[in-house]
Structures are given as C-alpha cells and as structure tokens.
Amino acid sequence: MPDQSSFNLSTAKTGPVECLGQSFPSEEARREHFLKLLAAKLKEPAFRQIEGFPIGTDEAILALSDPPYYTACPNPWLGDFVKHYGTDYDPKKPYHREPFAADVSEGKNHPIYKAHAYPTKVPHRAIMQYILHYTNPGDLILDGFCGTGMTGLAAQLCGNKAELHDLGFSPLKNGEYINARTGSVIRSGARRCILGDLSPSASFISYSFNQLVDSQSYEQKCTQALNEAKRKWTWAFKTIVKDPNKEMPVVLNKLRAASTETELSNIWNVVKTARIEEINYVVWSDVFACSECGGDIIFWDNAVDRSDWSVRESFPCPHCAANVTKSAITRLIESKFDPITKQIRKFSKQVPVLINYKGAGDDYGKRPDELDIQIIEKATEVLKDRTISALELPDGFNTAQPKSSHGLLYCHDFYFPKNLGVMSDYASALGSMRLGVNISSSAFVSSKLYRLTAQGGSLGAGGGPMNGTLYIPSLIKEIPLIKLLREHIKKTSELSRTTSTLRESTLITTSDGSRLNMPSDSVDYIFVDPPFGGNINYSELAYIREYWLGVRTNNIREAITNKHQGKSLAEYGELMLGCFREYYRILKPGRWITVEFSNTQASVWNSIQTVLQEAGFVVANVAALDKKHGSFKAVTSTTAVKQDLVISAYKPNGGLEARFEKNGATIDGVWDFMRTHLRNLPIIKANGGQMEPIAERDPRILYDRMVAFYIGHSTPVPLSSGEFQAELHSQFPNRDGMVFLPEQVHIYDQKRVQMESIGQLSIFVEDERSAIDWVRQFIKERPSTQQDIHPDFTQQLTASWKKWEARPELRLLLDQNFLCYDGVGEVPSQIHSYLSTQFKELRNLDKDHAQLRHKAKDRWYVPDPKKNIDVETLRNKRLLEEFWLYLPEGYISAARNPDKAPTLPGMAAATPRPKVPRSKKLREVRTEAIRVGFKHCYQLKDYFTILAVADMLPESVLNEDEQLQMLYDNAALRSGASA
C-alpha cells in the first residue's frame, strides 16, 4: 500500500472526525482505516470481476483513492452512504414539483468552470437551478455520468449565499429565497450527492473538485514537488537572445559534456555578457514535401501570412515556386530514436521554428539557434535514464489521426522531450497521485495537441487543444510545463479556498452506471449529462490523462457509438437502457430525473427518449440549456444543435402503478394516467412578456406519452388516437390548444390575461407527421382552399425532408386528415369565425347565409375532435393497407391473415421466428403507414411482423422515431429475438 502519511490535507478537522457513523482520532486515521479495507476488497476476485471495473493495479487504485469518499473503482461504501445520509421513501410525505421549464443560460467564464477542461462540461450554476427546484436541503442526488463533478459542487453550493445571489435569489425567511425574475421560491442549504463515472480520470477530477483540503498545505506540497522537477529541468527552458555568437560555443561545449543534473543546471553560469531569457513557448511546424519538385516545405515559413498570422489556403513552394495547398502535399517522415521504448521509430517531421521569450516585445521572439536545438537533443538524451512507461494507444476514432499521420503510437509520444521529462519528474515527486489533479488538468495543454493560433492579430493569444479530439495540428505551441503547473497549482489552491464546504456530503464511485450497489427508492433526484452516441469518444480522450494517473477506463461498458469498439446505435441504446433502468430502480416514486442532451443527431436524441420511456420514466418537458459556447462538432457541422436540450422526466408514484395493475387495460386507466401526467407538466412558460406554448400539453403528444406508458407496461392501448382526443376534450379543459386539469386552468387563465400574447410552436417540416402538423396549424389560423395552401406548403418541403420519407401530395394529406366545406348547409364554426373576423361584409351573418357559404366553399378546416373519429378510422384503414405492401416477399402476417399465417398471435417467446425470403431494403417509405401497422400488429401480439417489416426499412426510420423504436424493441423482447 502506498505511503499516505505525509499527505494530510484536511483543514477543518485536525482533531477527531466522524465518518459514516464511525469516529476516528484524525483524518489520517480515517484514511488509513478505509484504505486497508479497500486493499482487502481489491484482493477479492468477485470484486474485480464487476463489469466495468477499471484497468489498473491495486497500488495505482489505492494511490488515487481516498475512501470512503472516493474510490478509483466501484465504491464498496455506496450503500452505507445512502443508509447513513438518505431517507426512506414515504408515500404519505407530500412532494410535488412541476418540471423545471425555464430555459437556462450560464456562461463558461466562472473560475470553477475554467479550472479543468472537459468535453461537454455543464456549468455548476446551471445545475444548481435544477437542484434548487427539485430538492430540499439534505436530499440525496445522483449523477451517474459525473464528468468533472459539477453536480456534486452544485449540490454543496446550494447553501452558499453568494452563489444564490448571483443566480438572482433574494432571502425571504427561514432559509427560503425568491427569484424576482421567475417568482420561484426555493430553500437554501447543501444537498448530498453521489457521483459516479466509468472513467477513472472523470471520477478523480470530480474528487479533486469536491474534496475539502487545506489549500495552503495543498499548494505547499504541490509547489515542493514542482520545485523538485524544476531543479532538474530549468536549464532546458532558457535561451540566449543577445550577442549569442560570442558565448554560445562555450555553452554548447558545456552542454555536450554535461552528464549529471548538477552539470546541466550549471551550463548557463558561463554566460557573462549575453542576455538569457526564460522561454514562454516554442512553435513547432510540420514539414512537407512539395508535390511538384519533392523539396522540403516548412509549413510555418511558407503557409503563414505574417501580416495577420493566418494560414493561406495556397502558397508557393520555396524551391520550384509551384502554388500548392496543404491537402496536395505530403508530410515528411523521419526516423528518430525514442528514449522510452529504446527503439528507432518513424515520425512525421516537426521542427522548432520560433521561440517566444520574456521581453520578446513586438518581434514575437527568435528563430531557434544551434544551442536551442542542442538543448532539445540533450533533453532526449536525459530521458533515457527515466523510468517512463510506454503505453500503446488503442485503435479508435480519435487516435487514428495521431497514429497514421504522425506516428504517435504511445501516450508519451504526445509530448516533446522537455515537457515529458518535467511531467514524469513532477509525478514522481508528488509521491501520491491523490494530489495529481494538476497533472490531469495540464496533460493536454502541455502536449502536441496545443494549436498555435492568432487572436486579434496577436500571435499565440488564442489556441489550445481542439475540443473533443486528439488532433495534432501542423503548428504546435509548446508551453513549458513548469510554467503551466505553477499556474494550475495556484488556480486549484484558490479554487479550494472558494468552494470549501462539507466534504462528507459527497461520495464518488468509479463504476458502470447500470450497476449501482444502492437500495431501491432511495434517491431524491437525478441529474445526468451522459455520453450521446459518438459525438465525444470519452475513453479515447481520457487515455492520455489516465496514462499519468495509472488507472484506465474499461470501455467494454462505455455507452457510445464507435465502430472500433463494435458499438452501433443499437448497442449504445442497450447500454443506456441499462443505466436508466438502474436509475429508475433507485429513484423515489414521484421524483424527477433531468437528462442534459448535447448531440446533433436526431437518431441519438430519439434513442435517449426511447430508452428513458422503456425504463419506465415519463417525459414531461424539454427545455434549452445554453452553455454559451460551441464545441468543435457544433461549430463545423451543418446540422449542429447550438443549444443543449434538457429532458425532464419523472418516475410515476406508487399509487399510479398500483392502480394501473387493476385498471390499466381499461379506459379508466387511460384517464388515471392522464390526470397524473398533466399534474406533472408545467402550467405556464413565459419569455419576454409572451406566453410560450407547452408542447407536452398538445393532445397528440399526450397520446404518444400515454401509448409509450402502456407499451412499457406490456398493456394493450384501449383507445385509438381519435377516440382519445375526442374524449380528452370532454375530460379536461382546453386553452390555446393545450390540455389542463381543472385546478390548473384558472392559474393559466390568470397569467394569460397578464401576457401580451401566446406564441406558436415552431414546426420543422421533415416528414409526413410534421407536414400534417404544419397544415393543421395553417388552416386552424386561416381555413383556406387547397390552392391557397399549396404555395406555402411547397416552401416547407425543403432539403431538410428525410431522404427515406415518401413526399405526400397536399391533396392526400388534406383528404386523410381534414375536412372541406362543400358549400351546403351551415358554415363550420372554425371557418365562420375566421371569415367574420377578416371580412367586414361577412360579420353578423347567419352561418347559412348565401354570401357566407359562397366565401367559405372549398375551404379546409380542422375537424372537431369529437367528430374526427370517423376521419381517423378511414385514414388508418388506408394506411394499414399501405403497410401490408411493405411485407417481405413470401411473408404471411398473423395479424393480416390469422388463418393462413404459420404462427398465431400471442405465440410463446421461445417460438422461432418464421424464416422468409429476404427482400431488398426499401429506399423510401411512408412512416405514417409504418406507425399504424406497427401499432396494429403490436395490439394483436404479432411481434414477428413488426420485426420482419423493420428488416426492410432504412435504418434511420426506426432510429429517428421514438414510438417506432419502442414498439420494435418491445416486439423483439417479447418474440425472443434480439433487438
């Protein structure tokens, strides 16, 4: 076990301490006690066989861990923490929250946010607003994908007056605060939090943010380790800038002859007149071969425009003057000795081209001279005596460019010799990786990942590693690690003084989120920002940091789409479903989960909503979270989502579940669910003095939520969409196209009077369903003839239309979904209201007046829900006939032909799936027909027909439709097939 005796960083508790109900004479005694228990636990084979257990030796795991508050492996004290600090679920204890419906905007300039870079990091103040809304002081919160641990910090800072003030809250009384902007009232006070992540680097960063340390002692110990590394390497970060030719030969000779650390540190003592300066940074440039003459092209010398430091798209070869582009030339490859592997290896050629030093003024520095080059060579020579591990990079999406283009096959290859030596010596001098957060925070910025850029015409002012990648740029800015560590130590120390609170309020585990050793119904709230598809390959990005920490991610259970890991969207969805099912199990009934979503693909967005509902959660609201910054993908992708989306969902309370067991299959079960669901939806959403429509209260979305709930409970849906919407208007009040409970509607009415107007839902037309919604909104505002509707409708069918979706004719949509007034009988109320408002001459006329009937003839309008059942029945019949056309050749559906089918509805799960001749996949389909057909077959328990048609569909049809995906997943489960 590593020696921890010299690392007592606790500040507030220098005497006796209590931990999980046990008393100890000191923090050191507490740590020693639990480290011994963890060491023994690590020897148990069953413990190490837990899926997702990280890769690392016992010694490395113990060196990182500070049990029971943090373990770099599954935390054995998770259940004890819940037992000690949590509360039992009490169905009699009142709890009610509407979903947090306000859009949140929090920037990235807070010192806490900037303290450690991490992909898709959510500002802690944004998370605070959700925690304050959904919880009370002392409540237990879970974040199973904790990243840098901002949820834990947010939970602790809910009792910080300054933070509450900055969020717009003012004190009332008895610990209550009010937000003047929103009128919401919250209770101040720290909450307790469980943080978990599959990645050891993520859980370690979380620990570093959430631990309570003596900042002075921490800074002292880290500075002591830095000074030890600095003593060995200061000689390497200096340069001669004045009259170098006079004394450079003497320094060169001394450098070449030096063989000890003392001799190296004294090489500058011979300088008498020349000026010696500390290096701020070194610019390294790729070297290419001209595609015309084969001559060397140093990218810095030929591609960079010195007037503004921008990179030219094309530039002349210095040898043949041919105009070339970067994409047309080839990187030069050179053979170099690697002091770590002790082998001659091939790398892309990179040369130092500029040294920026203190006092460089306006000339930005100097060209590296012979002494500068020799110092780099000497640093390489010194590394031969260092014990630095050679950890190979895995094959991956992000590792492909450094490996194939630059020859970087090992983690240490990401560093130039001087910074590699400093990092190794600093880590050794620390003695315990538990203090190594500054290694983690500087691992990227001290590497070859750091891009040189110009900002505002100033060279080197911008730059940094490209977010979400391991991209090696053609112009690298190498910042001395000694300088970086000094800055990071100071920043971390200042941060710990700012955020010091009760460390006992947070427990951190390094484990798979689908396997949490916690009691059921024990957590009060869940906030997660999980990985979304393949937008960020977390384990690949963490590999460099975890190389230094000594414990690495076991990515077998990593929820991701990544061809190198053999994981498609289906595997991603299955892994996420496992996590959400676990979250559902441990969340108290009636409580909330918030899922922050940051992916640009509709298919991944759909997958998350689908698995949420399959796990048992009910989606209640989607809002925006603006982090005021675009990641690499968001900036460059044409389909990028500029704002992250936040899903608010709840676990139905035990009363609903118990009643559903009795009444779920009846119509009464539908309205019982609907009353519960409406109670959990926001009543009002306002922005800038205008009411905003609440999409989740739209009757069609309410129907979809009810269907999802029934499918998740393996119960037939007792009402069609038309029957549901007709009865919905009888059961509940309707305002502005939204459905409310009777006790909610008066609140809405009161607020509605105070607002200027109510906006409309923005409809993005991309398939038949959204086209129908657009037409419905159009004719609801102004009942029109087909001729009047057609020009606007055509404009909506833009390039955003899904490529596999059949484009419907306007007349077909109108015939199957709406009604047309033929000029006979009374004018329908919707048309009458519109015409009498728009035309003065038609006001106060009877509904059967000839002039009014003439003006109303051939206008389309939205059917009254109570009269729409026949319209929908006929439409569904036509769509079902179209669905049968999608059956594979030779396939007989049990739902269509029960007498001829080889299998019967309700067949046992073990019954083998019928084998039929495979047909080519359909290139274009009508998704509305697929929806009707899937529902029809599911109701009749003909699961195999769903699977058979699904095999024929373009993959995106299921991936981008949450209801189809859910029906397919459940059909696969109940048929015994693999989804």
Side-chain angles (χ1 to χ4, degrees):
M1 188 185 304
D3 179 17
Q4 304 280 339
S5 59
S6 61
F7 297 97
N8 180 13
L9 300 183
S10 274
T11 174
K13 297 189 176 180
T14 55
V17 296
E18 184 175 310
C19 177
L20 298 182
Q22 300 181 61
S23 297
F24 299 93
S26 66
E27 275 290 318
E28 281 308 303
R30 184 271 308 167
R31 185 176 294 112
E32 182 180 356
H33 169 78
F34 284 104
L35 277 171
K36 287 181 179 178
L37 293 177
L38 181 59
K41 192 73 176 175
L42 287 168
K43 300 299 182 185
E44 299 177 8
F47 183 59
R48 273 193 165 272
Q49 288 171 7
I50 295 173
E51 286 192 272
F53 198 96
I55 302 167
T57 63
D58 290 4
E59 290 72 22
I61 290 172
L62 291 168
L64 270 185
S65 301
D66 184 15
Y69 302 120
Y70 163 59
T71 58
C73 62
N75 197 319
W77 293 277
L78 204 107
D80 295 331
F81 185 84
V82 174
K83 183 179 179 181
H84 191 73
Y85 292 116
T87 57
D88 293 335
Y89 169 62
D90 182 0
K92 297 180 180 179
K93 188 175 181 179
Y95 173 88
H96 176 72
R97 298 288 194 281
E98 290 180 19
F100 187 80
D103 291 344
V104 174
S105 179
E106 289 294 338
K108 294 185 172 184
N109 293 321
H110 195 283
I112 292 176
Y113 189 92
K114 294 163 66 176
H116 199 302
Y118 199 80
T120 67
K121 186 175 178 181
V122 181
H124 74 281
R125 283 182 175 169
I127 305 173
M128 280 181 68
Q129 299 190 54
Y130 290 95
I131 293 176
L132 288 166
H133 175 79
Y134 286 113
T135 67
N136 294 315
D139 277 357
L140 191 60
I141 297 165
L142 170 72
D143 183 349
F145 294 93
C146 64
T148 56
M150 292 295 100
T151 302
L153 201 57
Q156 297 184 47
L157 291 176
C158 284
N160 186 292
K161 294 181 180 179
E163 291 285 320
L164 293 173
H165 177 269
D166 289 344
L167 285 174
F169 288 97
S170 301
L172 292 173
K173 60 181 179 179
N174 300 325
E176 290 188 338
Y177 281 69
I178 187 170
N179 188 309
R181 181 176 60 86
T182 64
S184 60
V185 176
I186 57 91
R187 290 184 62 198
S188 70
R191 280 70 165 163
R192 302 191 182 276
C193 193
I194 293 172
L195 302 174
D197 205 291
L198 192 69
S199 164
S201 65
S203 63
F204 175 66
I205 298 167
S206 297
Y207 163 70
S208 302
F209 270 115
N210 286 274
Q211 68 172 321
L212 178 63
V213 301
D214 180 345
S215 57
Q216 184 176 354
S217 176
Y218 173 84
E219 186 172 2
Q220 178 184 350
K221 294 182 185 301
C222 290
T223 301
Q224 180 182 337
L226 177 58
N227 287 338
E228 178 66 18
K230 184 178 178 181
R231 180 181 62 79
K232 299 178 181 181
W233 288 97
T234 297
W235 61 273
F237 295 97
K238 295 181 180 180
T239 187
I240 292 180
V241 299
K242 183 181 181 183
D243 299 326
N245 294 330
K246 293 181 180 179
E247 297 180 285
M248 184 185 295
V250 181
V251 182
L252 271 171
N253 289 334
K254 195 161 186 178
L255 174 68
R256 288 166 179 155
S259 59
T260 66
E261 291 175 358
T262 301
E263 290 172 341
L264 284 169
S265 64
N266 290 331
I267 63 171
W268 299 104
N269 293 347
V270 298
V271 177
K272 304 300 180 183
T273 60
R275 196 169 90 232
I276 304 170
E277 293 288 356
E278 288 187 23
I279 295 174
N280 285 329
Y281 61 84
V282 178
V283 177
W284 291 76
S285 172
D286 275 347
V287 183
F288 295 89
C290 176
S291 54
E292 299 294 327
C293 69
D296 290 6
I297 299 177
I298 297 176
F299 195 70
W300 166 263
D301 292 339
N302 298 280
V304 176
D305 187 337
R306 295 299 192 276
S307 65
D308 60 359
W309 305 107
S310 63
V311 175
R312 302 185 185 100
E313 288 189 13
S314 61
F315 42 89
C317 169
H319 306 289
C320 67
N323 204 40
V324 298
T325 62
K326 185 180 177 182
S327 60
I329 54 181
T330 307
R331 283 189 177 85
L332 279 182
I333 304 298
E334 64 177 353
S335 296
K336 292 171 59 178
F337 176 74
D338 176 9
I340 309 306
T341 63
K342 308 296 191 291
Q343 296 174 345
I344 302 295
R345 296 174 50 208
K346 291 184 178 181
F347 299 90
S348 64
K349 187 173 183 179
Q350 294 170 322
V351 295
V353 292
L354 177 71
I355 293 180
N356 180 276
Y357 53 86
K358 288 187 176 180
D362 295 331
D363 62 354
Y364 293 99
K366 54 172 272 192
R367 191 84 180 188
D369 52 37
E370 184 182 1
L371 178 58
D372 297 315
I373 302 299
Q374 287 300 312
I375 287 175
I376 295 171
E377 294 297 322
K378 195 68 175 182
T380 303
E381 183 182 324
V382 169
L383 288 177
K384 290 188 292 185
D385 299 325
R386 294 292 193 273
T387 303
I388 300 175
S389 63
L391 179 65
E392 286 191 66
L393 287 176
D395 290 333
F397 179 81
N398 287 301
T399 58
Q401 190 258 2
K403 291 175 75 171
S404 62
S405 298
H406 295 273
L408 308 188
L409 306 180
Y410 297 86
C411 290
H412 68 267
D413 293 338
F414 280 79
Y415 300 88
F416 291 111
K418 293 185 285 186
N419 275 356
L420 179 60
V422 173
M423 187 73 92
S424 175
D425 288 346
Y426 176 70
S428 298
L430 277 179
S432 172
M433 271 296 103
R434 193 166 54 81
L435 304 179
V437 67
N438 298 308
I439 292 177
S440 176
S441 65
S442 59
F444 276 20
V445 291
S446 63
S447 73
K448 296 177 183 179
L449 298 168
Y450 203 112
R451 296 167 296 158
L452 175 77
T453 62
Q455 195 172 66
S458 178
L459 182 67
M466 189 173 288
N467 189 30
T469 74
L470 293 177
Y471 176 78
I472 306 296
S474 289
L475 296 174
I476 300 170
K477 178 180 176 182
E478 182 195 17
I479 306 173
L481 183 56
I482 291 174
K483 174 184 176 182
L484 288 169
L485 286 172
R486 184 168 56 241
E487 294 172 353
H488 287 212
I489 290 168
K490 183 178 180 182
K491 185 188 299 182
T492 306
S493 179
E494 290 175 348
L495 183 65
S496 66
R497 283 193 287 269
T498 303
T499 62
S500 284
T501 55
L502 290 176
R503 191 256 306 272
E504 291 84 350
S505 65
T506 305
L507 180 133
I508 303 166
T509 180
T510 309
S511 59
D512 175 15
S514 66
R515 288 156 176 78
L516 298 173
N517 183 26
M518 298 170 59
S520 299
D521 302 341
S522 60
V523 170
D524 297 293
Y525 172 61
I526 299 174
F527 183 97
V528 286
D529 177 18
F532 289 93
N535 63 334
I536 300 291
N537 294 271
Y538 287 92
S539 64
E540 292 180 16
L541 297 179
Y543 209 79
I544 305 300
R545 289 193 178 105
E546 292 174 355
Y547 163 64
W548 294 107
L549 297 178
V551 188
R552 304 196 309 279
T553 302
N554 182 343
N555 64 16
I556 293 175
R557 297 291 302 172
E558 182 180 20
I560 196 171
T561 57
N562 184 310
K563 65 178 181 180
H564 297 279
Q565 294 185 25
K567 295 173 183 173
S568 66
L569 190 62
E571 282 76 26
Y572 165 77
E574 191 64 30
L575 289 164
M576 287 305 307
L577 178 59
C579 292
F580 284 128
R581 279 177 173 161
E582 184 73 341
Y583 297 163
Y584 186 87
R585 180 185 68 82
I586 64 179
L587 185 66
K588 292 178 180 176
R591 297 294 186 128
W592 291 84
I593 179 173
T594 299
V595 182
E596 198 265 331
F597 173 86
S598 52
N599 188 284
T600 60
Q601 293 183 312
S603 58
V604 181
W605 165 244
N606 170 65
S607 179
I608 283 294
Q609 291 199 91
T610 300
V611 298
L612 256 176
Q613 294 176 116
E614 284 189 41
F617 291 106
V618 182
V619 175
N621 189 65
V622 178
L625 174 60
D626 179 9
K627 293 190 287 191
K628 293 185 178 177
H629 190 276
S631 69
F632 173 63
K633 302 272 192 309
V635 169
T636 59
S637 173
T638 57
T639 59
V641 176
K642 299 303 180 184
Q643 290 184 317
D644 291 358
L645 299 177
V646 178
I647 306 172
S648 297
Y650 62 90
K651 176 179 179 178
N653 61 40
L656 173 64
E657 293 288 353
R659 294 192 302 273
F660 193 83
E661 287 186 15
K662 297 179 180 179
N663 304 318
T666 68
I667 295 176
D668 288 342
V670 171
W671 305 122
D672 187 22
F673 166 79
M674 197 51 52
R675 280 187 290 272
T676 300
H677 186 54
L678 289 172
R679 193 173 296 114
N680 284 303
L681 297 182
I683 300 175
I684 296 160
K685 188 175 181 181
N687 185 16
Q690 178 173 291
M691 297 279 280
E692 291 190 356
I694 301 168
E696 288 292 334
R697 290 188 177 274
D698 183 283
R700 289 154 295 162
I701 293 180
L702 290 174
Y703 181 72
D704 286 347
R705 296 295 180 228
M706 183 271 292
V707 169
F709 187 77
Y710 270 72
I711 292 173
H713 285 72
S714 303
T715 303
V717 181
L719 290 175
S720 69
S721 175
E723 292 168 335
F724 172 84
Q725 294 193 41
E727 186 63 24
L728 186 70
H729 287 73
S730 299
Q731 293 274 348
F732 306 104
N734 185 293
R735 294 291 188 276
D736 298 316
M738 298 179 289
V739 180
F740 295 87
L741 292 173
E743 60 267 27
Q744 294 174 330
V745 75
H746 76 279
I747 300 174
Y748 180 83
D749 288 342
Q750 290 176 358
K751 196 69 176 179
R752 180 74 170 81
V753 174
Q754 302 170 12
M755 295 292 177
E756 298 174 2
S757 60
I758 183 164
Q760 289 186 336
L761 288 173
S762 178
I763 298 175
F764 188 68
V765 178
E766 57 182 5
D767 56 13
E768 183 174 343
R769 170 170 281 196
S770 54
I772 294 171
D773 288 342
W774 182 88
V775 174
R776 177 181 286 105
Q777 183 169 292
F778 184 96
I779 62 177
K780 194 171 185 179
E781 291 179 18
R782 46 185 175 128
S784 306
T785 65
Q786 180 182 340
Q787 185 178 358
D788 291 335
I789 301 169
H790 191 268
D792 286 5
F793 178 76
T794 303
Q795 290 181 14
Q796 298 298 317
L797 303 183
T798 60
S800 59
W801 189 266
K802 294 175 179 177
K803 62 182 180 180
W804 63 86
E805 182 76 21
R807 290 178 181 254
E809 294 292 334
L810 175 59
R811 182 71 192 197
L812 181 67
L813 293 186
L814 291 170
D815 281 340
Q816 292 190 356
N817 298 277
F818 307 101
L819 297 176
C820 183
Y821 177 61
D822 59 5
V824 178
E826 288 189 350
V827 174
S829 298
Q830 188 184 137
I831 301 178
H832 176 261
S833 176
Y834 170 72
L835 293 178
S836 62
T837 302
Q838 298 297 317
F839 301 94
K840 293 182 180 179
E841 67 274 16
L842 300 179
R843 292 174 185 172
N844 301 317
L845 296 180
D846 292 335
K847 287 185 178 182
D848 60 352
H849 193 282
Q851 186 179 358
L852 185 64
R853 285 190 287 109
H854 175 74
K855 192 73 173 178
K857 189 175 184 299
D858 296 329
R859 290 182 184 265
W860 291 87
Y861 63 100
V862 179
D864 184 287
K866 294 181 180 179
K867 301 176 182 178
N868 193 38
I869 298 176
D870 292 340
V871 174
E872 183 179 299
T873 301
L874 182 59
R875 174 178 182 266
N876 286 348
K877 183 178 179 181
R878 291 170 177 170
L879 288 171
L880 188 59
E881 288 302 314
E882 191 165 341
F883 172 77
W884 300 130
L885 300 177
Y886 299 142
L887 291 174
E889 183 181 348
Y891 183 88
I892 301 176
S893 166
R896 188 185 188 193
N897 304 104
D899 297 332
K900 299 179 182 180
T903 56
L904 297 174
M907 64 184 73
T911 303
R913 182 173 173 179
K915 293 183 178 180
V916 297
R918 291 191 61 83
S919 305
K920 291 183 179 180
K921 278 189 176 287
L922 300 164
R923 298 185 62 183
E924 188 177 84
V925 297
R926 191 175 177 189
T927 306
E928 286 299 291
I930 304 297
R931 286 194 185 99
V932 170
F934 273 24
K935 287 179 184 177
H936 178 76
C937 293
Y938 193 86
Q939 292 287 84
L940 295 177
K941 299 183 180 179
D942 181 8
Y943 307 126
F944 287 147
T945 294
I946 294 174
L947 302 182
V949 173
D951 286 345
M952 302 285 295
L953 301 176
E955 187 176 342
S956 297
V957 175
L958 294 183
N959 289 345
E960 298 193 13
D961 189 293
E962 72 178 79
Q963 197 169 101
L964 290 182
Q965 183 69 61
M966 182 174 289
L967 285 164
Y968 171 75
D969 289 346
N970 279 273
L973 180 67
R974 283 156 181 76
S975 68
S978 172

